[in-house]
């Protein structure tokens, strides 16, 4: 028997009975007992821990009494936590045993709470379980879930019990969401029961069950697709309309609200333009909910103390015996409604045009709605989509709407206090610039924007200095360091959004924006100094990449600022920095003009060295390496007089295909088409000896979805394959070196391109 610590907590765990005691202690009311139990739990080896947990979940006898239901519930919860903490390796290693154990527990009718915990753990496990593994258990798992659903539906009818059923319908939704089209064969056995639950759940205490079931139905519809779901669309829409009736009639804290609103959004995604007929029924209640004013009050401290926590108010003490209060119960519904308005504007475009003006007048003031972060996020996110809708009505209407949006959006970038919300506002502004195009900002707006971005960059450097000071203080420890790293990540994220805004300006204004940009130039140059942290150098290089790509040949006037940083950072230890440098060298060749010839010549040996590095194709390095390969291809293609083409081309061909960076991959395939169509002897090889390699590259491009049928390159590649097919002997030689999947990919390319 293991030794015991205080309060009956075993100091070690050598047997299952002690493990069950430990699980009980993990949910003990005493903080000291829980803390000791957590320390012991952390030190149990992973495999042993999983074995004990599965035994507890299964309720397996081993010469002792069955574990208590609370222990089994705790075991389920812990399995779910492990599935989150160690995903996806936990799922890959234990999928067979965990799924079987949790399903068996859900089937056991002994305890509703244990069943509910098992269903919850299964949901968590499924979320990060690879689809390929889940499919192995699909038939037995889905049929078990259906059997349990039938039993639980009967219990609901007879006894009104609902706890396990609420989790069960969420589990079914999670399975459908994960396996998508593989759910089609099971659709017909689930849908009647789910619709029946919605029809039955009319009492107030069943509202949450009804909401979750509606959510489940919409997830299944999205999984199986429009064609299969159409047989039930009319009936499901009537259930939704009947359930909603009108959001006006629902209480602010009605548990159905968020489920119904989200279900409408999924129905919109399923039906596409066919959803427009239902939009008038949905939109007005949404606008009303999104427009709701929060209840606020200024109360004496004594009045606040007399209020119950259940009243749904939050208070901030203002001093002088007074507190400011806000009723929070309706804020979540307001945020959800705003998010759904964004979704409809994004998905329906033309179908949303008639609501654009009403919604933009609602959303712009909400950029300053400081009572709820997600309301401001939705308001910001809506702007580019509303502009897209407005564009359908013509340039004059679009200009009027932009005039209404622009100034508040710029001011919000300067005043927003929350980093996460600020990033969304900056992202929205960048997208809006891209929608509006060249000349969309007047001189005053550009001046204000420049001052704000300058302040963000200066703040970025100042914050880094302050963090270094804190690292020298006496109270510095690991916990402080973790906090400082979190702050740094937030700062870097805002830096990425500064880069996004500059990208939108460079890509729309081109070289005309450069005089305005020069107020920021010293700060951007500072980002790429060798002593800066690697994220600074990455994003500084990205900004110069954009200048080269969109503002050449004028960009060459800044070459002395970025020439050596770009070349030297090709040897950086961080792949993100190498990727930014390699991309810049590629766009120099593609867009930079003759001024960049010598720099392109210097770049080739550095790029080749990175590509030939032993670990260049590891998961960590592969995207940077593919950008290097693409950059070499761009130099060969656009600056052939900078390099010995015949010497480098065979190496470049041997490095293909690219798998990870789809944008660069399609550019390399386009260049490959150029070379083949011109019958380049080095690429084709003596007696067409390189054609099997070329055909393999094309097959791989189709398999990894690089080749898009809408891209002109797809037709060119298909024509290359057809040309090879004219020589039976050569074609047989090519396909003899391909596996079945590659051959199928080629045939699919030929069928559609």
């Amino acid at each position: 028997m293991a030794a015991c610590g205080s309060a009956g907590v075993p100091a070690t765990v050598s047997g299952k009975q002690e493990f069950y005691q430990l699980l009980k202690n993990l949910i003990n009311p005493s903080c000291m007992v829980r803390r000791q139990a957590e320390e012991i739990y952390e030190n149990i080896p992973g495999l042993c821990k999983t074995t004990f947990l599965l035994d507890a979940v299964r309720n397996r006898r081993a010469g002792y009494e069955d574990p208590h239901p609370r222990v089994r519930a705790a075991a389920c919860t812990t399995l779910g936590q492990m599935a989150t903490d160690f995903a996806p390796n936990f799922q890959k290693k234990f999928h067979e045993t965990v799924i079987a154990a949790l399903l068996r527990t859900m089937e056991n009718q002994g305890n509703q709470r244990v069943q509910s915990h098992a269903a919850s753990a299964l949901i968590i496990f499924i979320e990060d379980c690879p689809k390929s593994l889940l499919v192995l258990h699909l038939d037995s798992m889905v049929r078990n879930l259906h059997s349990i659903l039938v039993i639980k539906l009967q219990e609901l009818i007879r006894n009104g019990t609902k706890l396990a059923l609420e989790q069960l319908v969420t589990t079914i939704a999670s399975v459908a969401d994960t396996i998508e089209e593989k759910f089609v064969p099971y659709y017909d056995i689930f849908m009647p029961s789910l619709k029946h639950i919605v029809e039955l759940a009319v009492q107030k205490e069943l509202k949450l069950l009804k909401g979750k079931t509606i959510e489940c139905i919409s997830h299944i519809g999205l999984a199986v697709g429009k064609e299969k779901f159409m047989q039930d669309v009319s009936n499901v829409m009537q259930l939704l309309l009947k359930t909603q009736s009108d959001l006006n009639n629902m209480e602010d804290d009605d548990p159905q609200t968020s489920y119904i609103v989200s279900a409408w959004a999924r129905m919109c995604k399923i039906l596409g333009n066919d959803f427009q007929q239902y939009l008038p029924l949905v939109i007005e209640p949404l606008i009303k909910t999104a427009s709701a004013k929060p209840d606020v009050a200024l109360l004496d401290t004594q009045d606040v103390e007399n209020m119950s926590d259940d009243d749904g108010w939050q208070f901030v003490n203002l001093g002088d015996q007074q507190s400011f209060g806000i009723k929070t119960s309706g804020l979540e519904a307001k945020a959800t409604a705003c998010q759904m308005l964004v979704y409809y504007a994004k998905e329906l475009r033309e179908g949303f045009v008639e609501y654009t003006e009403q919604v933009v007048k609602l959303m712009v003031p909400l950029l300053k709605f400081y009572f709820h972060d997600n309301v401001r996020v939705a308001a910001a996110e809506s702007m580019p989509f509303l502009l897209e809708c407005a564009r359908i009505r013509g340039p004059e209407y679009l200009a009027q709407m932009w005039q209404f949006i622009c100034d508040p959006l710029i001011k919000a970038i300067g005043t927003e206090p929350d980093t996460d919300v600020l990033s969304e506002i900056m992202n929205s502004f960048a997208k809006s610039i891209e929608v509006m195009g060249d000349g969309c900002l007047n001189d005053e707006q550009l001046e204000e924007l420049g001052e704000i971005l300058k302040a963000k960059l200066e703040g970025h450097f100042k914050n880094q200095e302050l963090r270094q000071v804190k690292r020298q203080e006496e109270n510095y420890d690991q916990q402080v360091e973790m906090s400082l790293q979190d702050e740094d990540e937030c700062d870097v994220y805002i830096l990425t959004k500064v880069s996004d805004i500059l990208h939108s300006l460079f890509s729309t204004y081109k070289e005309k924006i450069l005089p305005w940009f020069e107020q920021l130039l010293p700060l951007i140059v500072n980002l790429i100094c060798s002593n800066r942290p690697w994220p600074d150098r990455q994003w500084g290089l990205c900004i110069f990449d954009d200048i080269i790509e969109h503002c050449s040949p004028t960009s060459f006037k800044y070459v002395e600022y970025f020439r050596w940083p770009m070349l030297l950072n090709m040897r950086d230890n961080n792949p993100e920095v190498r990727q930014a440098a390699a991309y810049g060298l590629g766009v120099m060749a593609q867009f930079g003009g003759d001024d960049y010839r010598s720099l392109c010549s210097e770049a080739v040996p550095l790029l080749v060295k990175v590509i030939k590095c032993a670990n260049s194709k590891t998961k960590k390095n592969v995207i940077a390496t593919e950008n290097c390969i693409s950059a070499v291809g761009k130099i060969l293609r656009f600056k052939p007089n900078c390099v010995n083409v015949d010497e480098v081309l065979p190496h470049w061909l041997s490095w293909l295909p690219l798998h990870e960076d789809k944008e660069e991959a399609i550019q390399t395939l386009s260049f490959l088409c150029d070379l083949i169509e011109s019958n380049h002897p080095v690429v084709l090889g003596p007696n067409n000896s390189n054609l099997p390699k070329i055909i393999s590259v094309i097959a791989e491009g189709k398999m990894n979805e690089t080749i898009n049928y809408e891209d002109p390159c797809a037709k060119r590649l298909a024509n290359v394959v057809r040309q090879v097919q004219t020589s039976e002997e050569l074609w047989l030689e090519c396909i003899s070196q391909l596996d079945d999947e590659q051959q199928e990919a080629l045939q699919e390319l030929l069928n559609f391109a």
Side-chain angles (χ1 to χ4, degrees):
M1 182 70 182
C4 286
S6 62
V9 179
T12 61
V13 176
S14 58
K16 294 173 186 174
Q17 200 65 22
E18 291 165 359
F19 185 79
Y20 299 147
Q21 179 61 46
L22 182 64
L23 286 175
K24 287 182 181 178
N25 289 331
L26 285 169
I27 52 177
N28 192 290
S30 166
C31 290
M32 185 172 68
V33 173
R34 286 202 310 274
R35 195 157 46 242
Q36 289 177 329
E38 286 165 2
E39 289 175 6
I40 296 167
Y41 182 82
E42 288 300 318
N43 292 319
I44 302 173
L47 185 58
C48 179
K49 190 185 299 184
T50 305
T51 302
F52 285 167
L53 282 168
L54 290 170
D55 282 340
V57 169
R58 292 175 181 134
N59 197 10
R60 177 178 289 173
R61 289 178 180 272
Y64 46 76
E65 288 299 311
D66 291 344
H68 191 279
R70 285 182 63 192
V71 174
R72 297 178 66 206
C76 291
T77 301
T78 309
L79 270 177
Q81 188 61 53
M82 291 177 72
T84 298
D85 292 344
F86 304 111
N89 291 334
F90 184 78
Q91 282 83 345
K92 290 177 180 178
K93 191 168 184 178
F94 298 109
H95 57 92
E96 189 168 351
T97 49
V98 170
I99 290 174
L102 292 174
L103 283 172
R104 196 175 301 120
T105 305
M106 289 171 67
E107 288 174 340
N108 190 312
Q109 303 304 309
N111 189 288
Q112 288 263 333
R113 189 163 297 280
V114 173
Q115 288 179 311
S116 178
H117 278 73
S120 179
L122 186 58
I123 292 166
I124 296 167
F125 188 88
I126 286 169
E127 281 178 357
D128 291 304
C129 188
K131 185 176 177 180
S132 57
L133 295 179
L134 204 56
V135 167
L136 299 177
H137 311 282
L138 186 56
D139 195 63
S140 61
M141 178 172 62
V142 172
R143 295 194 183 282
N144 278 351
L145 289 173
H146 179 253
S147 299
I148 300 167
L149 178 64
V150 171
I151 293 168
K152 294 299 166 190
L153 179 54
Q154 292 304 313
E155 289 180 5
L156 174 69
I157 294 169
R158 287 197 307 269
N159 310 321
T161 52
K162 60 183 175 64
L163 179 62
L165 188 54
E166 287 174 355
Q167 284 292 354
L168 179 60
V169 294
T170 304
T171 307
I172 294 165
S174 183
V175 171
D177 204 35
T178 303
I179 65 173
E180 297 173 313
E181 76 285 350
K182 300 285 186 185
F183 199 85
V184 170
Y186 310 102
Y187 175 88
D188 292 324
I189 65 172
F190 279 97
M191 195 53 67
S193 297
L194 293 170
K195 289 191 294 185
H196 194 35
I197 293 172
V198 176
E199 291 166 348
L200 287 173
V202 292
Q203 297 98 326
K204 185 175 182 179
E205 61 271 18
L206 297 178
K207 283 185 175 182
L208 182 59
L209 172 62
K210 191 172 191 176
K212 288 188 172 186
T213 308
I214 287 170
E215 176 187 52
C216 180
I217 290 171
S218 65
H219 272 291
I220 290 174
L222 201 56
V224 302
K226 183 177 180 179
E227 184 178 348
K228 180 65 179 174
F229 193 53
M230 281 305 290
Q231 67 192 57
D232 285 300
V233 160
S234 179
N235 190 223
V236 169
M237 295 303 274
Q238 289 306 313
L239 285 174
L240 264 173
L241 290 168
K242 185 178 178 183
T243 303
Q244 175 177 287
S245 177
D246 186 345
L247 281 177
N248 299 335
N249 299 329
M250 290 188 179
E251 299 171 8
D252 284 342
D253 58 352
D254 192 306
Q256 298 176 97
T257 304
S258 62
Y259 294 109
I260 292 170
V261 169
S262 299
W264 278 121
R266 288 187 203 96
M267 296 303 293
C268 174
K269 192 171 184 68
I270 296 164
L271 297 177
N273 289 333
D274 291 339
F275 185 81
Q276 288 184 28
Q277 60 185 303
Y278 300 102
L279 190 57
L281 302 171
V282 180
I283 197 77
E284 291 307 325
L286 268 184
I287 290 175
K288 181 171 182 179
T289 304
S291 304
K293 306 288 185 196
D295 292 330
V296 295
L298 194 63
L299 299 178
D300 293 334
T301 303
Q302 186 62 48
D303 294 331
V304 173
E305 291 173 357
N306 292 335
M307 295 187 72
S308 164
D309 291 339
D310 296 332
D311 291 335
W313 285 79
Q314 287 186 1
F315 293 93
V316 177
N317 193 323
L318 301 177
D320 296 329
Q321 300 295 307
Q322 286 196 316
S323 294
F324 173 79
I326 179 169
K327 191 169 186 179
T328 58
S329 56
L331 294 181
E332 204 60 48
K334 181 182 180 77
T336 302
C338 289
Q339 288 161 356
M340 290 307 102
L341 289 171
V342 175
Y343 186 86
Y344 291 135
K346 177 184 175 182
E347 292 294 322
L348 295 176
R349 301 293 171 95
E350 288 188 19
F352 198 80
V353 168
E354 65 181 284
Y355 305 103
T356 304
E357 186 171 341
Q358 187 179 4
V359 172
V360 80
K361 287 179 178 177
L362 164 67
M363 290 296 197
V364 168
L366 292 180
L367 290 168
K368 297 187 289 187
F369 188 85
Y370 295 110
F371 299 122
H372 200 292
D373 291 350
N374 286 341
V375 171
R376 302 198 304 286
V377 167
E381 193 180 352
S382 70
M383 301 304 164
F385 300 124
L386 292 170
L387 290 169
E388 292 276 12
C389 293
R391 184 155 59 183
I392 295 168
R393 282 197 170 174
E396 187 177 340
Y397 185 73
L398 175 62
Q400 290 174 354
M401 183 165 290
W402 175 237
Q403 189 175 3
F404 183 72
I405 288 172
C406 185
D407 286 336
L409 201 52
I410 292 174
K411 282 181 172 55
I413 297 172
T415 58
E416 174 55 52
D418 183 90
T419 301
D420 291 335
V421 180
L422 174 60
S423 66
E424 290 296 335
I425 294 171
M426 295 174 79
N427 185 56
S428 170
F429 182 75
K431 288 182 177 178
S432 297
I433 294 293
E434 291 173 0
V435 173
M436 297 305 301
D438 183 11
C440 62
L441 299 175
N442 60 38
D443 291 344
E444 291 78 12
Q445 290 164 340
L446 280 170
E447 182 181 356
E448 184 178 5
L449 178 64
E451 290 172 357
I452 290 170
L453 296 184
K454 187 177 180 182
K456 298 294 181 195
L457 290 166
E458 288 172 344
H460 176 81
F461 295 127
K462 184 67 175 175
N463 290 342
Q464 286 180 337
E465 291 172 8
L466 291 173
R467 284 192 285 273
Q468 287 303 106
V469 170
K470 288 179 181 178
R471 289 185 171 100
Q472 307 305 316
E473 293 175 352
E474 286 186 15
N475 64 345
Y476 173 75
D477 57 18
Q478 187 176 3
Q479 190 170 357
V480 172
E481 177 58 29
M482 289 175 65
S483 176
L484 295 177
Q485 288 180 12
D486 288 343
E487 290 176 17
D488 186 63
E489 287 178 10
C490 290
D491 273 3
V492 169
Y493 194 50
I494 296 304
L495 178 61
T496 70
K497 298 305 166 185
V498 171
S499 175
D500 286 347
I501 289 174
L502 292 175
H503 168 82
S504 69
L505 291 168
F506 293 137
S507 62
T508 53
Y509 277 72
K510 308 298 183 184
E511 68 276 0
K512 288 181 289 186
I513 201 66
L514 292 177
W516 169 88
F517 166 74
E518 289 184 357
Q519 65 185 306
L520 305 177
L521 180 60
L523 297 164
I524 306 303
V525 170
N526 193 27
L527 286 173
I528 59 175
C529 289
S530 58
N531 63 336
R532 303 304 309 171
W534 71 260
D536 283 16
R537 287 181 282 119
Q538 175 196 3
W539 291 102
L541 287 172
C542 286
I543 290 167
F544 279 115
D545 291 350
D546 278 330
I547 293 173
I548 297 165
E549 183 171 355
H550 300 290
C551 305
S552 289
T554 312
S555 65
F556 191 74
K557 72 186 212 176
Y558 306 118
V559 71
E560 292 310 316
Y561 294 118
F562 59 75
R563 178 190 188 106
W564 290 111
M566 205 160 279
L567 292 173
L568 292 173
N569 279 305
M570 282 304 308
R571 294 179 287 189
D572 195 86
N573 289 330
N574 295 280
E576 294 88 349
V577 178
R578 295 199 303 276
Q579 179 186 357
Y583 184 83
L585 294 170
V587 293
M588 277 181 199
Q590 188 171 0
F591 301 104
D594 287 342
D595 290 333
Y596 285 103
R597 285 174 56 187
S598 64
L599 190 44
C600 289
S601 295
E602 290 179 75
V604 172
L606 294 172
L607 292 164
V608 171
K609 187 174 182 180
V610 173
I611 296 164
K612 288 188 172 182
C613 185
N615 63 349
S616 66
K617 292 296 183 74
T618 62
K619 185 176 181 180
K620 177 183 176 183
N621 294 319
V622 65
I623 291 184
T625 302
E626 291 193 348
N627 272 261
C628 291
I629 296 168
S630 179
V632 171
K634 289 172 183 175
I635 293 170
L636 291 169
R637 187 178 190 181
F638 299 106
K639 295 284 187 291
N641 51 358
C642 296
V643 64
N644 186 331
V645 174
D646 289 352
E647 181 183 335
V648 178
L649 257 182
H651 296 286
W652 178 79
L653 182 62
S654 73
W655 299 328
L656 302 185
L658 308 189
H659 291 284
E660 301 299 323
D661 193 319
K662 305 300 184 190
E663 190 174 330
E664 298 306 309
I666 198 67
Q667 293 212 37
T668 63
L669 289 174
S670 177
F671 179 41
L672 183 61
C673 287
D674 290 349
L675 295 166
I676 297 167
E677 289 164 0
S678 65
N679 292 316
H680 198 291
V682 174
V683 171
L684 295 177
N687 298 316
N688 293 320
S689 58
N690 288 340
L691 280 177
K693 166 68 176 177
I694 291 168
I695 294 298
S696 170
V697 168
I698 296 171
E700 288 288 322
K702 178 64 190 73
M703 282 172 57
N704 65 31
E705 299 179 347
T706 298
I707 300 171
N708 184 331
Y709 295 128
E710 296 175 1
D711 194 297
C713 189
K715 184 162 280 191
R716 295 173 71 194
L717 291 165
N719 287 337
V720 169
V721 176
R722 292 187 183 102
Q723 191 173 353
V724 175
Q725 286 180 321
T726 60
S727 169
E728 184 176 355
E729 183 180 349
L730 185 57
W731 175 245
L732 290 173
E733 182 185 351
C734 290
I735 62 171
S736 68
Q737 299 180 32
L738 304 179
D739 60 31
D740 291 344
E741 192 176 359
Q742 290 172 319
Q743 291 185 37
E744 288 174 13
L746 281 181
Q747 190 56 55
E748 190 175 339
L749 174 65
L750 294 172
N751 290 342
F752 291 96

